[in-house]
């Protein structure tokens, strides 16, 4: 006897047509196989792709195993890809980019102990991904100038390029700048081929000069060779020079000698003096200024910037506890920077005099960080609580603050929403609990560290988040650091130990087993 198929709740006149329904396995009509129906079959590929784009990388990889259709849609809708760039992956690159044929943002990362992909592999990638707009290269030491030329020739739509611990030289960099006229963001870190070749062939602006808006140079031995590029980029907005050897005063003077659009400048651990700061003061549009561990800079340079750059919004100064930047420079910032919303001071010995000036003149100040200052005590913190009415976020680290200073915020700073207290041995958890009980909407964080102040690490002032910068470990608050001559102090920066923070990533033991498993969606 025959058996009518189950309708599973469908009205008799609206039973779905099996010819329009895809099954995960073979098409089945018995009642027991209805659960195998692919209920996403009627969803257009475009909608399914939008669903995939909202998932994490791991979830996307799992979804790609569901069916051939899901595998195809997931691959075609993935625009961001990170690959282990070890040499063992090279034979699988063809199949990888056959599946992921719509990639526009790519990161190639190799463990520094492994052999990376070479020029041939990079050429293949550039041919398969002609629409690349962003590319990261990390520890790809086998890529030379020839590979960079092929990349620049085939991927002319690049808008953002970043390389670290690579070995190509000036010819490869110039090829990129000459062919990628849409390049807006350039980041170069630990470029090994810049010893001799860069000195003979400086980096010119090329076709990218009109489009470049951001340049970051980090841990370079001969970073001055990028001078023609920096000077020739007339629309440059952001310039970051971090831990690069050489005298940078003359370079900064060349940049400021012509009309520029610089609005953000970061200088960290450089041989730069007040003459370089005088040059920076000629940038009238400067809004964000970071000065970190530059022992030759003093109040004079800070005053020059404050008096000439009247639109400053964010200022970070790490004085390295050299006592060359203090109240005089900070009062100059306070008097001239009425638009200041964020101020981070590390290793700067200021007093309540400059804090009062800051509170009275900078009525828009919302974020303040005071770290590693011997002069910051209860009186100064109470001044902040009484005067900084617009303050929303406060960080105090490695200062001589006690419970008395923290208790001042029970009624001070009416707009304060978050306060962090770290490495302040005079502040107890009882005072923090007392403050929380009186201001329930205020987030109070206390880091009760039992380490002696003499062994606290020096503050780190790099990689600050746009919202509110995380503050690094504060230096000693009891004994001043020994004063070293400027040349001796800068010589500490020359060692490779300070620039040996290479990017590490665990490579897969067997890339041939599953090449697609190396792919993730975060660039």
């Amino acid at each position: 006897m025959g058996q009518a198929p189950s309708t599973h709740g469908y009205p008799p006149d609206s039973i779905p047509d099996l010819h329009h329904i895809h099954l995960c396995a073979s098409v089945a009509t018995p009642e027991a196989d209805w659960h195998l129906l692919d209920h996403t079959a009627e969803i257009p590929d475009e909608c399914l792709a939008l669903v995939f784009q909202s998932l994490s990388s791991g979830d996307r990889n799992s979804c790609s195993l569901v069916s051939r259709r899901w595998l195809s849609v997931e691959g075609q809708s993935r625009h961001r890809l990170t690959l282990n760039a070890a040499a063992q992956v090279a034979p699988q690159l063809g199949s990888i980019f056959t599946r992921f044929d719509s990639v526009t943002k790519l990161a190639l990362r190799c463990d520094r102990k492994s052999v990376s992909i070479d020029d041939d592999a990079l050429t293949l990638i550039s041919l398969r991904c002609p629409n690349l707009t962003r590319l990261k290269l990390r520890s790809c030491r086998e890529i030379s100038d020839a590979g960079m030329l092929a990349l620049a020739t085939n991927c002319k739509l690049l808008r953002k390029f970043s390389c670290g611990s690579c070995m190509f030289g000036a010819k490869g960099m110039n090829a990129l700048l000459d062919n990628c006229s849409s390049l807006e963001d350039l980041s170069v870190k630990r470029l090994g081929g810049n010893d001799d070749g860069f000195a003979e062939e400086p980096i010119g602006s090329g076709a990218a000069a009109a489009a470049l808006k951001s340049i970051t140079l980090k841990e370079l031995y001969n970073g001055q060779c990028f001078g023609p590029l920096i000077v020739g980029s007339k629309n440059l907005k952001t310039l970051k020079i971090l831990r690069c050897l050489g005298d940078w005063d003359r370079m900064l003077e060349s940049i400021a000698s012509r009309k520029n659009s610089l609005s953000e400048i970061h200088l960290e651990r450089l041989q730069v003096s007040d003459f370089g700061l005088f040059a920076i003061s000629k940038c009238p549009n400067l809004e964000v200024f970071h000065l970190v561990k530059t022992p030759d800079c003093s109040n004079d340079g800070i005053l020059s910037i404050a008096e000439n750059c009247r639109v400053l919004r964010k200022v970070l100064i790490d004085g390295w506890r050299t006592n060359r930047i203090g109240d005089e420079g900070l009062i100059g910032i306070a008097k001239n920077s009425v638009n200041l919303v964020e101020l981070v001071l590390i290793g700067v010995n200021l007093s309540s005099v400059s804090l009062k000036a800051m509170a009275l003149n900078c009525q828009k100040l919302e974020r303040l960080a005071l770290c590693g200052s011997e002069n910051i005590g209860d009186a100064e913190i109470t001044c902040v609580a009484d005067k900084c009415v617009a303050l929303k976020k406060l960080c105090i680290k490695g200062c001589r603050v006690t419970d008395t200073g923290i208790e001042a915020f029970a009624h001070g700073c009416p707009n304060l929403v978050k306060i962090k207290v770290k490495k302040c041995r005079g502040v107890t958890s009882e005072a923090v609990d007392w403050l929380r009980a009186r201001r329930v909407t205020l987030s109070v964080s206390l880091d009760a560290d039992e380490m002696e102040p003499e062994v606290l690490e020096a503050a780190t002032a790099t990689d600050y988040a746009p919202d509110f910068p995380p503050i690094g470990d504060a230096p000693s608050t009891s004994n001043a650091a020994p004063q070293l001559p400027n040349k001796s102090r800068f010589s500490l920066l020359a060692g490779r130990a300070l620039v040996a923070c290479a990017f590490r990533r665990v490579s897969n033991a067997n890339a041939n087993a599953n090449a697609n498993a190396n792919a993730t969606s975060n660039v």
Side-chain angles (χ1 to χ4, degrees), residues 252-314:
L252 293 174
E253 291 174 357
S254 300
I255 297 171
S257 62
R258 57 187 303 172
K259 186 177 180 181
N260 62 78
S261 303
L262 283 170
S263 61
E264 182 173 354
I265 295 179
H266 295 219
L267 305 178
E268 178 180 336
R269 295 191 183 187
L270 298 180
Q271 186 177 347
V272 61
S273 68
D274 286 337
F275 291 103
L277 300 190
F278 295 154
I280 292 176
S281 67
K282 298 178 183 179
C283 302
N285 300 318
L286 189 64
E287 296 182 9
V288 180
F289 179 60
H290 287 194
L291 186 68
V292 179
K293 293 181 173 63
T294 54
D296 291 339
C297 296
S298 69
N299 283 321
D300 295 336
I302 297 297
L303 273 173
S304 178
I305 291 179
E307 292 172 353
N308 295 283
C309 304
R310 298 297 188 94
V311 294
L312 282 173
R313 296 177 56 252
K314 298 181 180 181

Side-chain angles (χ1 to χ4, degrees), residues 55-275:
L55 301 178
S56 65
S57 175
D59 290 338
R60 291 189 64 144
N61 288 337
S62 299
C63 289
S64 65
L65 303 177
V66 171
S67 66
R68 288 188 176 88
R69 179 189 176 224
W70 282 32
L71 176 69
S72 175
V73 173
E74 194 280 327
Q76 294 173 358
S77 64
R78 190 182 290 239
H79 303 299
R80 297 189 177 193
L81 194 66
T82 297
L83 288 180
N84 172 20
Q88 297 90 333
V89 181
Q92 283 78 39
L93 289 176
S95 60
I96 290 175
F97 288 99
T98 297
R99 174 186 171 188
F100 303 111
D101 57 357
S102 302
V103 172
T104 59
K105 302 173 184 179
L106 176 65
L108 301 174
R109 291 170 170 158
C110 181
D111 185 88
R112 65 175 183 172
K113 296 182 180 180
S114 303
V115 178
S116 72
I117 59 175
D118 57 12
D119 292 339
D120 293 338
L122 185 63
T123 301
L124 173 63
I125 292 174
S126 66
L127 291 172
R128 292 296 189 96
C129 304
N131 296 321
L132 273 184
T133 58
R134 296 186 183 183
L135 177 63
K136 278 186 180 181
L137 299 179
R138 290 293 182 270
S139 299
C140 296
R141 292 181 172 85
E142 302 302 316
I143 294 177
S144 68
D145 292 335
M148 289 298 298
L149 177 60
L151 170 70
T153 303
N154 298 322
C155 301
K156 296 185 177 181
L157 300 179
L158 275 177
R159 291 190 290 111
K160 186 174 182 178
F161 177 79
S162 172
C163 64
S165 300
C166 294
M167 299 301 294
F168 60 86
K171 292 182 179 179
M173 187 61 66
N174 281 323
L176 181 75
L177 296 169
D178 289 338
N179 289 276
C180 301
S181 59
S182 301
L183 192 65
E184 299 178 356
D185 191 316
L186 175 66
S187 179
V188 182
K189 178 179 180 181
R190 290 195 300 270
L191 194 58
N194 70 334
D195 292 338
D196 299 327
F198 276 69
E200 298 175 359
E201 184 178 353
I203 308 301
S205 53
L212 267 175
K213 297 180 180 179
S214 176
I215 295 178
T216 299
L217 306 178
K218 189 172 183 179
E219 298 174 7
L220 299 178
Y221 287 104
N222 203 351
Q224 287 88 353
C225 292
F226 284 83
L229 171 64
I230 299 174
V231 174
S233 302
K234 299 180 181 180
N235 294 317
L236 192 65
K237 300 290 185 182
T238 301
L239 176 62
K240 299 180 181 180
I241 308 176
L242 315 174
R243 301 191 290 277
C244 295
L245 297 182
D247 190 345
W248 286 89
D249 283 341
R250 184 173 299 179
M251 179 61 61
L252 293 174
E253 291 174 357
S254 300
I255 297 171
S257 62
R258 57 187 303 172
K259 186 177 180 181
N260 62 78
S261 303
L262 283 170
S263 61
E264 182 173 354
I265 295 179
H266 295 219
L267 305 178
E268 178 180 336
R269 295 191 183 187
L270 298 180
Q271 186 177 347
V272 61
S273 68
D274 286 337
F275 291 103

